[in-house]
Amino acid sequence: MCSSDRGAGGQRNASGAGGTGAVILMMPTANYSGTTTGSPTVGTSGGNTILTFTSNGTYTVKPAAQAYAIWNSNDKSANVTLQQYNLLASVNTTGGTVRSTVGVSSGKWYWEHTISSTDVGCRTGVGIANSSASLTTYIGGDSNGYSYFRDGLKYNNNAGTSYGATYTAGDIIGVALDMTAGTLTFYKNNVSQGTAFSGLSGIYYAATGNTGVNTTLCQTNFGQYPFTYTPPSGFNAGLYSS
């Protein structure tokens, strides 16, 4: 908790008290998900959120005891290779899928994939899968996974339907999983593609995969680093266990 009692001005990340003036707290906007009292002025600058207290108030930060997800080296196809602290996934010529280390059954969660390369046939997909989903096929190749592929189609139960814009190398695909409402929404470069799936229940993991081409899929940020885009209102900034 960070507390303001009209302390001296300046950037603060701990309790402060005494004197007159203002207390200013600054943090990456992607990590700004705490609660405040005292009605501070809220501003933004350079990807940071700035709270300015001119009267008594508090800011309670998101709990620090969180274990952010990574790609699970024990829950993947043998065709998937993981690098960069298990946040970068690659697939060989026969395809496959990997799930995250953290699964959720409630709450609202946001994470981002930076697409790493242009593949042949738009075969890269990102989405979610439960523990019963096959790892030897693409996400959505059975009834246990849901995905958004580079050709703009969404997949579930081995059926693709028109959904959103195509995407390519360098695009950032945000994933907003709302297990309270049971919905899954994807964003391309901060533009919502609309609700892709609804009626979700159970425990789901983040997933990425490919139908069969030798390529680097994506660099994923589960909250370990500041996000490129601000998560949707009410969503946790990252996928993590606490």
Side-chain angles (χ1 to χ4, degrees), residues 165-219:
T166 61
Y167 57 89
T168 189
D171 286 331
I172 295 174
I173 305 302
V175 182
L177 175 61
D178 184 347
M179 291 305 297
T180 301
T183 60
L184 179 64
T185 300
F186 296 96
Y187 291 75
K188 175 188 174 182
N189 299 331
N190 207 35
V191 177
S192 174
Q193 304 301 294
T195 300
F197 301 101
S198 59
L200 302 175
S201 63
I203 300 175
Y204 283 96
Y205 300 80
T208 188
N210 192 286
T211 59
V213 66
N214 190 23
T215 185
T216 300
L217 297 175
C218 55
Q219 179 77 46

Side-chain angles (χ1 to χ4, degrees), residues 63-157:
Q66 295 165 345
Y68 287 100
I70 56 176
W71 294 123
N72 192 340
S73 59
N74 295 315
D75 194 17
K76 68 179 184 66
S77 164
N79 300 323
V80 176
T81 300
L82 301 177
Q83 297 173 283
Q84 297 184 14
Y85 308 103
N86 286 14
L87 292 174
L88 180 67
S90 302
V91 175
N92 70 17
T93 54
T94 54
T97 290
V98 59
R99 281 185 286 253
S100 63
T101 54
V102 175
V104 293
S105 60
S106 62
K108 300 180 180 183
W109 309 90
Y110 175 85
W111 62 93
E112 291 180 343
H113 303 278
T114 300
I115 304 305
S116 300
S117 63
T118 302
D119 62 40
V120 177
C122 295
R123 295 171 178 153
T124 297
V126 297
I128 62 171
N130 65 25
S131 60
S132 297
S134 172
L135 296 175
T136 59
T137 187
Y138 64 95
I139 313 163
D142 57 27
S143 62
N144 298 300
Y146 301 85
S147 63
Y148 171 30
F149 264 69
R150 294 177 66 148
D151 55 6
L153 299 184
K154 61 179 182 180
Y155 285 86
N156 171 249
N157 204 23

Side-chain angles (χ1 to χ4, degrees), residues 230-241:
T230 302
S233 178
F235 279 72
N236 292 299
L239 180 63
Y240 53 83
S241 61

